[in-house]
Amino acid sequence: MNLFSSVNDVTDLKKLIEEALILKADPFSNKSLGKDKTIGLVFLNPSLRTRLSTQKAALNLGMNVMVMNLDKEGWALETEDGVIMNGTTVEHIREAAAVMGEYCDILGFRSFPKLQDRDEDYSESLFNKFVKFSGVPVVSLESATLHPLQSFADLITIEEHKKTAKPKVLLTWAPHVKALPQAVPNSFSEWMCKAQAEGMIDFVITHPEGFELAEKFTPGATIINDQDEALKGADFVYVKNWSSYQDYGKTLPGAEHWMMTNKKLEGTNDAKVMHCLPVRRDYELSSEILDGPNSIVIKEASNRTWAAQAVLKKMLEGL
């Protein structure tokens, strides 16, 4: 595996889940695999779970780890080609990524969308240039449109906690105080649709009208605008806000009633509730759920390590 940017980079989904769970049971079994290998984790945006879990995963595999907050510690980066660099940018991504590739055997890269120009964000130009010019295997630590390590951990968590062979998994929109990217819901949908196609789950999405995700990420998903109807019989409820894809980057005022509560869970199959974190308590998701028995958000976050470790193991095996 030379690239991990979406579920499409995974050749055998079920096997990768199995490998992650094996690593969870015996984290240091492949510690010699990363000996004398270095991973560089490059962040243009804040991170807690992705940063720490990927570092831990690499250390479990015996790797050296270097972390750089490029937005704060690096030179101002130019990403466009054919420009005369006589302004505020100091270093071009061509040289920056290439140099990082000289120092590291594997690179991780994280950047968020600007939510101003949909075509620009969805082209994934910045991430793709980093991959192209670095010349080494790259793992996405979240890009403008996708967050595959999160979604892989989500699927591991569902596999661990499912009570039926084919659980109903619901992605529900939630309110938020600001416009958020579509990366997590896009990615979650992409992975769940793949899992559904392989007979692992039934997948449903619910959101207010106007918050449809890009169709390429939702093939086969059942989409319902009535949240109460969508919740019926759900085994897992994944709560997440996202801004509009059609009216790009816009959010919806006055939709606080979409927040998930214990009352709403009464229509489910005693559903386990998931969220990628960070979460706005009692606005995006109620404290009664987060502090109650239905929440598995901490276990979900814990699985970020094993998702990253399974991916890094695959990359190391190819070096």
Side-chain angles (χ1 to χ4, degrees), residues 22-257:
I22 290 170
L23 288 168
K24 184 174 183 176
D26 191 3
F28 308 113
S29 56
N30 294 273
K31 200 168 181 86
S32 62
L33 191 61
K35 187 176 186 297
D36 299 326
K37 296 290 191 295
T38 299
I39 184 171
L41 304 178
V42 183
F43 293 88
L44 289 176
N45 299 95
S47 176
L48 189 159
R49 281 147 293 275
T50 301
R51 180 189 302 260
L52 296 181
S53 62
T54 309
Q55 279 188 263
K56 182 176 179 180
L59 292 169
N60 286 350
L61 291 167
M63 300 187 76
N64 301 311
V65 182
M66 297 192 294
V67 179
M68 185 170 190
N69 298 305
L70 193 59
D71 59 326
K72 301 178 183 67
E73 301 166 348
W75 299 111
L77 201 62
E78 179 58 59
T79 61
E80 297 299 321
D81 288 323
V83 299
I84 298 173
M85 290 176 57
N86 58 358
T88 58
T89 56
V90 178
E91 183 162 23
H92 202 282
I93 192 171
R94 286 175 173 265
E95 286 78 49
V99 166
M100 292 179 200
E102 291 293 314
Y103 299 151
C104 302
D105 300 284
I106 296 173
L107 284 166
F109 187 69
R110 179 183 180 103
S111 64
F112 290 170
K114 297 176 183 177
L115 289 180
Q116 297 171 357
D117 185 326
R118 188 176 76 182
D119 291 340
E120 177 184 347
D121 288 343
Y122 273 71
S123 72
E124 290 286 10
S125 175
L126 178 57
F127 180 80
N128 291 333
K129 285 178 180 177
F130 187 85
V131 171
K132 178 180 179 181
F133 299 131
S134 67
V136 297
V138 174
V139 55
S140 171
L141 306 177
E142 188 172 1
S143 68
T145 66
L146 292 171
H147 196 350
L149 283 177
Q150 176 66 57
S151 303
F152 181 24
D154 296 336
L155 194 52
I156 293 168
T157 306
I158 290 169
E159 180 65 22
E160 281 187 310
H161 291 87
K162 68 181 184 182
K163 297 178 181 178
T164 61
K166 194 176 180 181
K168 176 181 175 180
V169 178
L170 173 67
L171 169 63
T172 178
W173 186 90
H176 205 279
V177 297
K178 64 178 183 178
L180 295 184
Q182 295 110 33
V184 169
N186 280 348
S187 194
F188 185 77
S189 297
E190 188 181 56
W191 283 72
M192 295 306 124
C193 286
K194 177 76 169 180
Q196 179 173 256
E198 296 190 11
M200 299 167 64
I201 66 165
D202 287 321
F203 183 48
V204 179
I205 303 172
T206 185
H207 55 70
E209 290 187 11
F211 283 84
E212 294 77 12
L213 297 169
E215 291 184 1
K216 68 177 181 178
F217 298 122
T218 62
T222 300
I223 300 173
I224 303 173
N225 296 127
D226 185 329
Q227 188 185 46
D228 290 334
E229 181 65 26
L231 282 163
K232 291 179 181 178
D235 298 290
F236 294 90
V237 176
Y238 198 96
V239 177
K240 186 68 180 82
N241 173 267
W242 62 91
S243 58
S244 176
Y245 172 75
Q246 295 297 336
D247 192 7
Y248 193 63
K250 300 299 188 293
T251 191
L252 182 68
E256 288 78 8
H257 61 282

